[in-house]
Amino acid sequence: MKKNLVLLGPPGAGKGTQAKMLVEKYAIPQISTGDILRKAVAAGTELGKEAKKFMDAGGLVPDDVVIGLVRERLKESDCKDGYILDGFPRTVNQAKSLDDILTKMGDGLTHVVSIEVDEDDLLTRLTGRRTCRECSAMYHITFEAPKKSGVCDKCGGELYQRDDDKEETIKSRLKVYKQQTEPLITYYRGTGLLKTVPGTGGIKDIFSSITKVLE
Ligand code: AP5
Ligand code: MG
Ligand code: ZN
């Protein structure tokens, strides 16, 4: 069965961690608007310069910008057998636009998986997160520590801390999540697509809960 997925959840819930495992299992691409925006920031493009202001403040990049990015990305051929949207949609307006885009393509979402984690855990996860500059593998200094500090186990690349993973910025991101993104849970419950999965415990256990709701 085709899988057109949305992963919902607060910052640090494990969307990226789980998405990478789903990519392996189902051979469908991960579409992370956060990753796309960070690449644009690193490349210093106009989009990157514009987005950086919002990202550094822990706020959302304007809807029309991210909707445009996703609309183009979904047209690429690797999306024809399904995809994992990670971090999009994040507002009810984005969710409605996504519905329109998919309807026009003769397609639709198959599952929305909401990963639930308590706020205290989110702060610990985000302040300890490290990401590989080369292959974007994710680590945590306590929970998923690399064998050698600062070095990626998979490719030897340098591990870095995201600019928005400072405590103050994390607090803004959590606030923005509550105000603008959490209402999507009700929105998708209404469509009958919503599946909730507890996001605390081992990464592999969470992964099996997710694959269970997808099958
Ligand atoms: P984005 O990159 O999407 O960030 P986010 O939603 O804040 O989520 P994160 O990537 O921080 O968390 P995650 O759920 O992926 O967790 P992860 O797997 O890394 O967005 C960044 C910014 O871009 C936004 O603030 C906004 O400005 C902009 N943006 C992006 N999309 C947008 C949109 N649609 N509209 C407008 N603006 C947009 O895990 C976190 C850590 O926890 C890791 O260290 C990991 O190793 C660890 N971990 C994972 N699972 C577990 C576990 N089970 N137990 C212990 N540790 C764990
Ligand atoms: Mg992420
Ligand atoms: Zn790496």
Side-chain angles (χ1 to χ4, degrees):
M1 185 199 160
K2 197 171 162 181
K3 292 184 173 58
N4 296 344
L5 313 178
V6 167
L7 291 185
L8 261 188
K15 302 181 294 294
T17 303
Q18 297 296 330
K20 287 189 167 57
M21 296 165 80
L22 292 165
V23 167
E24 294 286 309
K25 184 169 169 85
Y26 296 117
I28 52 176
Q30 169 193 14
I31 303 177
S32 159
T33 41
D35 287 351
I36 296 171
L37 293 168
R38 276 185 292 279
K39 274 200 192 110
V41 171
T45 62
E46 280 310 309
L47 166 68
K49 283 181 204 151
E50 173 71 5
K52 189 174 175 10
K53 295 181 268 179
F54 299 99
M55 296 170 81
D56 284 351
L60 294 183
V61 173
D63 279 350
D64 53 340
V65 175
V66 280
I67 291 165
L69 288 175
V70 172
R71 182 188 290 117
E72 291 312 305
R73 182 63 185 88
L74 286 171
K75 285 183 193 156
E76 286 177 39
S77 61
D78 62 337
C79 294
K80 67 179 188 320
D81 298 324
Y83 41 81
I84 306 150
L85 287 166
D86 159 8
F88 181 93
R90 255 179 152 89
T91 62
V92 172
N93 183 38
Q94 290 180 19
K96 289 183 174 159
S97 299
L98 176 64
D99 289 345
D100 290 345
I101 291 167
L102 294 178
T103 306
K104 284 199 187 111
M105 295 171 77
D107 211 352
L109 295 173
T110 58
H111 307 78
V112 175
V113 180
S114 169
I115 307 175
E116 300 188 325
V117 178
D118 289 338
E119 204 160 313
D120 293 348
D121 292 336
L122 297 173
L123 198 64
T124 321
R125 284 189 188 185
L126 291 172
T127 48
R129 170 166 57 191
R130 299 292 183 272
T131 311
C132 175
R133 252 189 229 291
E134 303 302 323
C135 75
S136 59
M138 220 113 59
Y139 297 88
H140 189 282
I141 51 170
T142 319
F143 308 132
E144 283 288 311
K147 290 196 185 78
K148 188 168 173 234
S149 168
V151 181
C152 178
D153 290 350
K154 296 190 179 93
C155 77
E158 181 206 353
L159 302 184
Y160 77 102
Q161 183 167 25
R162 262 169 55 175
D163 285 344
D164 60 349
D165 280 346
K166 299 186 186 81
E167 193 161 333
E168 278 319 297
T169 318
I170 294 170
K171 285 186 177 149
S172 311
R173 286 160 61 203
L174 291 171
K175 204 184 277 170
V176 167
Y177 171 79
K178 277 232 166 301
Q179 288 168 349
Q180 307 208 48
T181 309
E182 210 170 54
L184 287 180
I185 294 178
T186 312
Y187 178 85
Y188 282 121
R189 190 173 284 125
T191 64
L193 294 172
L194 188 79
K195 312 276 180 197
T196 51
V197 169
T200 29
I203 289 173
K204 290 205 178 86
D205 296 329
I206 299 165
F207 184 64
S208 39
S209 318
I210 294 177
T211 53
K212 213 173 277 165
V213 303
L214 299 179
E215 270 152 42

